[in-house]
Amino acid sequence: MHLRTRRSQPPEINLTSLLDVVFLLLIFFMVSTTFKDESGQEQTRLRVNLPQAQGQDQPDKEAESIRIIIDESGTFYVNDRLVVDQQALTLVRALTGALDQRKGLPVLIQADAKTPHQAVMTALDAAAEVGLNKVSFATARQSPPTAPQ
């Protein structure tokens, strides 16, 4: 009986699947990264031009609150999540989902300066229906008038 030793072929490393995983990770981190501008502020996805008002800055006493953002077309966002339509019942459901068993949270309404008044009233009604009665409005500081020279 003559036993020959088989010559084993050198192992091959398939790099295709490794490259696929690396590219998927690269795409994931590119999509999920947030960028900051030069002032250190995070760029937001929603651009809302707040109405201007005079007054004093209020410090953030409540770290946890529910934000209702209303863009210029009257579309609602609850904590940066789009509400499916502009109906009051849908907004009530979105606010109830955002509450998640936490009663008495303050509500911050950030309405665009060109938002229809009806959209702001719908947001107020929906907040009242859910039982949220601590409501505040976000505004931009009005620039002081310049004296004519």
Side-chain angles (χ1 to χ4, degrees):
M1 185 185 288
H2 184 23
L3 296 175
R4 274 195 228 170
T5 60
R6 289 188 176 171
R7 286 190 179 175
S8 63
Q9 296 178 349
E12 293 182 21
I13 299 176
N14 187 359
L15 294 179
T16 306
S17 59
L18 180 65
L19 288 175
D20 288 344
V21 170
V22 169
F23 283 129
L24 283 174
L25 285 173
L26 178 68
I27 290 170
F28 171 76
F29 285 116
M30 285 173 45
V31 170
S32 64
T33 301
T34 58
F35 297 99
K36 295 185 179 189
D37 61 10
E38 291 134 10
S39 66
Q41 300 266 340
E42 250 186 50
Q43 292 180 353
T44 59
R45 288 175 256 144
L46 301 173
R47 294 276 180 198
V48 176
N49 296 324
L50 295 174
Q52 295 182 353
Q54 295 178 352
Q56 299 176 358
D57 289 337
Q58 294 293 327
D60 273 345
K61 295 177 183 174
E62 303 282 343
E64 207 173 353
S65 66
I66 294 178
R67 291 184 337 153
I68 301 174
I69 301 170
I70 311 170
D71 66 9
E72 66 181 23
S73 66
T75 304
F76 297 107
Y77 297 84
V78 175
N79 290 341
D80 296 328
R81 300 184 92 182
L82 175 67
V83 177
V84 178
D85 58 30
Q86 298 176 357
Q87 301 297 318
L89 183 60
T90 310
L91 184 58
V92 167
R93 289 179 183 156
L95 288 172
T96 304
L99 274 175
D100 194 35
Q101 305 295 331
R102 298 170 293 175
K103 296 288 181 185
L105 286 179
V107 176
L108 175 64
I109 297 178
Q110 295 175 303
D112 192 277
K114 297 179 183 177
T115 297
H117 187 67
Q118 181 60 51
V120 177
M121 295 309 296
T122 302
L124 286 171
D125 287 343
E129 189 170 330
V130 175
L132 302 171
N133 55 10
K134 296 178 187 176
V135 179
S136 59
F137 293 91
T139 60
R141 182 173 294 277
Q142 187 175 21
S143 58
T146 57
Q149 294 180 350

